[in-house]
Amino acid sequence: MHALAGAPRLGLVSRRSALGPHEQLYRRLLQPHLDEQSLHDAASYLDDNLRAVGGEPVDLPDTPAQLHEWMEDGARDVMRRYGEYMREREEGAPRRFFSNRAHALYFLRMVAPTKLVDGSWLWGLTAQADNPRLAPLVRTYLEELGDGDPSKNHVLLYRRLLEGLGLDQERAAPDAAWHQGAIQLALGCQAERYLPEVVGFNLGYEQLPLHLLITAYELDELGIDPYYFTLHVTVDNGASGHARQACDAVLGLLPRYGDADAFWNRVREGAKLGCVGMGTNEAIAGFDPRAEVVRILTDKAPLGAGAHASHCRLAGRSINDWLREPAGMDGFLRQLEQAPGWLRLGEPPVHSRFWQLLQGERAQMFGVFSAYELQVIHDWIRGSESHDGMPFTETAATNEGARRPRFRAMQARAARAKAVAAPLPGLELDPDLADFKRAWAGSSGASRHALMVSALGPASHWTPAGLYATRLFAARG
Ligand SMILES: [Fe+2]
């Protein structure tokens, strides 16, 4: 098994020894070179999942002739419901998705496995890019890749979002969070065998969903860059964007000599695959602040056992002893909640002795917890007060009553300084780029095409060599 070989670091860190089945396949399909066994397993995985969703309803019209009308009705309905949401918010309703900043970060972490393979379901079509009937889908794929512009490549944008929030080194999400990404990777490497399902998946997935609009709005409100999400609001538009390209692709690909009904039925089945695994709503609903604190302590316990002085005790046991049993962290936290002064829930975190150990001038455990973990602990201690979205780095006392600036407002203020201080990262220093350029210059015809298609794959399109290959591919005559 070579499942972990070459697995990218960002957002995909796993400290567990046994990976779940979805994560295993995901990692195997996110390799630059796929062996026969992996391709076979991808096909079996798709068959199993198609069987599993077979009895589910699908939100698609009965006939392809109604597709454009269906798309336009759907987009109108989403905008109407978003208008309702905005009215509610203006009248004082709380955020619908994210109770606090930790909740939003938790969500971004849970959907990371899917977002980091964004667009991958269409990769396989690039091998046949000269077929004019595939043109709308190849265009969609290249747009997912930003046409090789690093500031527009969707996967790179998400990686940078995680990095900017300190989420890149976080423990990987549970296995259900890898399910949807594994489906997308499997479709991407099995496009020839599952063309109708790929087309159908794309059709369902590229329609503008209400949750995308609300997510973008609420992230911005919490001071978190919403660009990855707002970008999708514009690219998924029904007038000229991916939603329309998806409809055009289905209509253009309906068989003229074969069985168009059978093809359409497979399109409908493929669309159902967009709903498998942990979706946006499940990722949001899965956040339980106290449970997440327990999970963090459980992960951290083995590192802390033995690191504490023997006089550090809680409820008659040494801290080292507590930490030797990671499964007992719920009880540990309960004891900490009951010990006077250690956790003053509902108050500013600086009132709690536990928080004073983690943050502040004389914090003895400074640096033990990551920025994400500190935000979770901070927001859990503050309870409903954390609805103001305050980052843990700001002291509660000095910000009471202050209105949090939106991300866009902060960005506007920082724009001038940013332009000078942060030049585009260099894209030349890379172990693959020179080799790719050499291989490209030394090849022609089918082998050059295969070289580009390989570099356009989900494992590499966001790297310097992949971005370079994307620009060449987009510019090909
Ligand atoms: Fe995308």
Side-chain angles (χ1 to χ4, degrees):
M1 168 68 81
H2 56 278
L4 285 171
R9 179 182 66 91
L10 202 73
L12 299 172
V13 179
S14 184
R15 293 176 197 143
R16 291 162 295 163
S17 49
L19 304 183
H22 302 304
E23 185 175 353
Q24 272 191 36
L25 185 70
Y26 181 107
R27 290 179 180 279
R28 283 172 60 204
L29 297 182
L30 198 55
Q31 301 296 318
H33 305 289
L34 300 178
D35 58 25
E36 283 303 316
Q37 187 61 47
S38 297
L39 292 171
H40 174 269
D41 291 349
S44 304
Y45 187 71
L46 289 174
D47 288 340
D48 290 347
N49 278 278
L50 284 164
R51 249 192 313 276
V53 298
E56 302 286 323
V58 62
D59 175 29
L60 278 183
D62 293 334
T63 67
Q66 300 159 295
L67 262 181
H68 282 121
E69 195 186 339
W70 164 82
M71 175 194 71
E72 283 157 14
D73 286 351
R76 252 194 309 274
D77 185 52
V78 165
M79 293 320 289
R80 181 186 57 75
R81 290 193 289 153
Y82 185 57
E84 281 170 16
Y85 165 83
M86 290 301 289
R87 261 192 306 282
E88 278 174 32
R89 295 303 311 280
E90 279 157 18
E91 287 165 9
R95 281 186 298 276
R96 191 181 289 182
F97 282 4
F98 307 125
S99 53
N100 52 36
R101 187 175 173 87
H103 195 174
L105 298 180
Y106 172 90
F107 162 77
L108 293 173
R109 200 166 63 79
M110 285 297 147
V111 297
T114 307
K115 304 300 184 194
L116 291 174
V117 295
D118 193 9
S120 60
W121 62 93
L122 292 174
W123 171 45
L125 304 180
T126 56
Q128 305 286 328
D130 289 335
N131 178 352
R133 297 171 83 182
L134 295 176
L137 298 179
V138 173
R139 176 95 307 271
T140 299
Y141 187 63
L142 291 176
E143 285 169 8
E144 293 285 338
L145 272 48
D147 281 322
D149 175 349
S151 70
K152 298 281 188 303
N153 179 291
H154 295 190
V155 170
L156 203 45
L157 284 169
Y158 204 81
R159 295 176 76 89
R160 287 180 174 163
L161 176 66
L162 293 177
E163 204 169 35
L165 293 167
L167 293 173
D168 50 324
Q169 279 292 301
E170 285 307 319
R171 179 179 178 272
D175 200 43
W178 302 84
H179 193 166
Q180 180 55 223
I183 291 280
Q184 297 182 6
L185 289 165
L187 287 168
C189 69
Q190 282 288 359
E192 288 190 30
R193 186 162 162 184
Y194 295 90
L195 178 62
E197 286 82 4
V198 168
V199 172
F201 180 90
N202 185 67
L203 182 62
Y205 212 74
E206 291 287 10
Q207 304 303 317
L208 177 65
L210 177 65
H211 62 70
L212 190 65
L213 294 160
I214 297 178
T215 299
Y217 185 82
E218 296 194 0
L219 288 177
D220 184 38
E221 199 175 340
L222 287 162
I224 296 171
D225 185 357
Y227 182 60
Y228 174 86
F229 297 90
T230 53
L231 175 72
H232 283 84
V233 174
T234 51
V235 300
D236 292 349
N237 78 80
S240 59
H242 294 181
R244 177 166 293 269
Q245 286 168 6
C247 293
D248 293 346
V250 175
L251 296 172
L253 281 164
L254 282 173
R256 286 134 202 227
Y257 303 105
D259 186 342
D261 288 343
F263 187 93
W264 175 242
N265 281 335
R266 286 181 59 186
V267 166
R268 287 163 61 89
E269 294 306 301
K272 295 178 186 175
L273 293 176
C275 298
V276 306
M278 184 193 291
T280 293
N281 295 328
E282 291 93 333
I284 291 166
F287 182 64
D288 173 342
R290 191 182 184 283
E292 186 64 356
V293 172
V294 171
R295 202 265 313 155
I296 289 166
L297 294 176
T298 304
D299 267 15
K300 206 66 79 176
L303 304 171
H308 295 77
S310 55
H311 66 261
C312 300
R313 302 181 75 78
L314 180 70
R317 284 173 72 184
S318 75
I319 300 297
N320 288 332
D321 193 32
W322 275 106
L323 299 181
R324 268 190 282 274
E325 276 179 46
M329 285 301 102
D330 184 66
F332 175 77
L333 192 60
R334 209 167 32 247
Q335 292 296 338
L336 213 52
E337 286 167 316
Q338 286 163 11
W342 277 94
L343 281 167
R344 300 173 76 100
L345 302 182
E347 296 185 24
V350 289
H351 295 177
S352 294
R353 286 176 70 191
F354 182 61
W355 183 258
Q356 291 164 15
L357 287 176
L358 311 184
Q359 277 290 296
E361 280 174 20
R362 288 162 58 184
Q364 288 162 303
M365 288 171 65
F366 187 82
V368 168
F369 291 93
S370 72
Y372 168 72
E373 291 164 341
L374 288 169
Q375 189 70 49
V376 171
I377 296 167
H378 172 269
D379 288 2
W380 171 64
I381 293 175
R382 293 185 71 213
S384 59
E385 292 297 310
S386 67
H387 290 187
D388 62 8
M390 183 182 295
F392 76 90
T393 45
E394 295 176 18
T395 60
T398 56
N399 281 277
E400 269 170 31
R403 193 176 162 78
R404 176 144 313 287
R406 286 181 165 272
F407 177 83
R408 290 282 166 80
M410 293 192 289
Q411 197 185 36
R413 274 203 296 275
R416 182 184 295 265
K418 229 177 169 181
V420 179
L424 277 177
L427 289 171
E428 291 297 317
L429 183 61
D430 186 84
D432 286 323
L433 185 59
D435 286 340
F436 177 84
K437 285 181 177 176
R438 221 179 347 264
W440 190 82
S443 62
S444 60
S447 66
R448 176 177 280 188
H449 186 71
L451 180 70
M452 284 199 286
V453 167
S454 164
L456 256 58
S460 49
H461 69 72
W462 49 273
T463 68
L467 293 163
Y468 181 78
T470 308
R471 290 197 294 276
L472 289 173
F473 193 84
R476 78 198 189 288

